[in-house]
Amino acid sequence: MTTNVCPACEEEASRHVPLGESTSIDTIGTVNICVTEDGAYFHGTR
């Protein structure tokens, strides 16, 4: 399984979406999003 480490905060992300791509996310709770030159990194919080 591939891990996505966010270059902005250096934490593991649950999802990485490259620039120019679209996504949808269905979640319960809070999601922190870091946006970098490489795309968006989604971090779920509990």
Side-chain angles (χ1 to χ4, degrees):
M1 183 171 176
T2 303
T3 58
N4 295 309
V5 177
C6 174
C9 67
E10 299 181 351
E11 296 291 329
E12 185 174 347
S14 59
R15 182 182 294 184
H16 169 239
V17 180
L19 288 177
E21 290 190 20
S22 298
T23 191
S24 62
I25 187 168
D26 183 18
T27 185
I28 297 173
T30 303
V31 176
N32 293 331
I33 303 170
C34 294
V35 179
T36 69
E37 294 176 352
D38 190 36
Y41 290 83
F42 293 80
H43 305 281
T45 60
R46 297 174 191 220

